[in-house]
Amino acid sequence: MSNFTAEDKAAITSLWAKVNVEDAGGETLGRLLVVYPWTQRFFDSFGSLSSPSAIMGNPKVKAHGAKVLTSLGEAIKNLDDLKGTFGQLSELHCDKLHVDPENFRLLGNVLVTVLAIHHGKEFTPEVQASWQKMVAGVASALGSRYH
Amino acid sequence: MLSAQERAQITQVWDLIAGHEAQFGAELLLRLFTVYPSTKGYFPHLSACQDAAQLLSHGQRMLAAVGAAVQHMDNLRAALSPLADLHALVLRVDPANFPLLIQCFQVVLASHLQDEFTVEMQAAWDKFLTSVSTVLTSKYR
């Protein structure tokens, strides 16, 4: 599994401290639903997803995005045990939500672009590498109890 | 198929890159090698020494090709045919690598354009670059 170096952890935690989870969450989920429209399949109950502005302004999208990123924040406190941290959520996503784990990879990649938007040059190749490692680890952990 | 709005988004972003192909291309390659080290195998000399001049030179070449694709986005197959031959017969880059390059491209755009990198731009460019990579691997077998 992913081994996070001291540099990885520093890059991840220091950037995370500057993230507004509410805003970034809505932004990330919204962009996922716009850029990869087939991901909308899980959100029939969310109301209007008919245009990019409808999606980005949708309060349910914002709320759910915040929920997802809050969960990610918990993971950041437990980088050495992502599988343990996400065990139950993995079962939930498999048994109840039936989410293809590929969606976790897509969401993680979108989060990385959102972080790049907010941090510009500070989001160096090395920082990106740490974060891609992070989101890959989360995606893997979320898929780990699928059966 | 690209809509009129998507074409506009693609051109709008390209206008910001044009003239800076070398710089954007070098950063793209640097991100690719740093984030996805397995890609270095496709650029043995370039990735080993990471000489700034060579990165700029190769980056320029790659982004110039992207620029050509932007000019001919209605007929990518014809415009990119020689590059498709090159990738099929000589380079033989495993198709799984193109999404990695695309992700790095998105990050380059996002980090440079920041708040100007709208969701519509991100969507249009993801669709466009995916089409380009489909064409580049279209003659593989």
Side-chain angles (χ1 to χ4, degrees), chain B:
Chain B
M1 292 260 52
L2 294 165
S3 71
Q5 287 114 312
E6 284 165 342
R7 288 200 196 104
Q9 300 289 350
I10 290 162
T11 320
Q12 201 181 341
V13 170
W14 183 254
D15 287 342
L16 298 166
I17 299 175
H20 309 284
E21 287 90 339
Q23 181 199 341
F24 274 86
E27 184 184 329
L28 174 64
L29 287 167
L30 201 55
R31 284 187 185 275
L32 185 70
F33 298 154
T34 307
V35 180
Y36 305 108
S38 59
T39 59
K40 293 194 286 185
Y42 291 107
F43 304 86
H45 306 298
L46 193 62
S47 57
C49 53
Q50 287 191 18
D51 170 69
Q54 286 188 25
L55 281 170
L56 285 164
S57 164
H58 200 78
Q60 156 79 30
R61 207 175 324 160
M62 284 176 70
L63 274 261
V66 173
V70 171
Q71 298 313 315
H72 301 278
M73 54 180 129
D74 293 327
N75 197 355
L76 289 176
R77 269 181 201 271
L80 297 177
S81 183
L83 275 176
D85 289 336
L86 182 71
H87 281 75
L89 303 171
V90 179
L91 302 178
R92 292 171 290 185
V93 174
D94 191 290
N97 290 284
F98 289 89
L100 306 183
L101 185 67
I102 292 172
Q103 172 66 4
C104 289
F105 206 113
Q106 294 281 22
V107 172
V108 170
L109 292 177
S111 64
H112 281 262
L113 300 175
Q114 295 197 260
D115 286 330
E116 282 178 43
F117 193 51
T118 64
V119 58
E120 289 88 349
M121 285 176 180
Q122 184 171 0
W125 268 82
D126 206 273
K127 190 172 169 181
F128 172 63
L129 290 173
T130 301
S131 301
V132 169
S133 57
T134 299
V135 169
L136 290 179
T137 57
S138 63
K139 301 186 191 181
Y140 273 28
R141 51 180 168 175

Side-chain angles (χ1 to χ4, degrees), chain A residues 38-54:
Chain A
W38 56 93
T39 59
Q40 294 171 25
R41 71 190 299 287
F42 301 107
F43 301 104
D44 285 338
S45 63
F46 273 32
S48 180
L49 299 178
S50 55
S51 69
S53 49

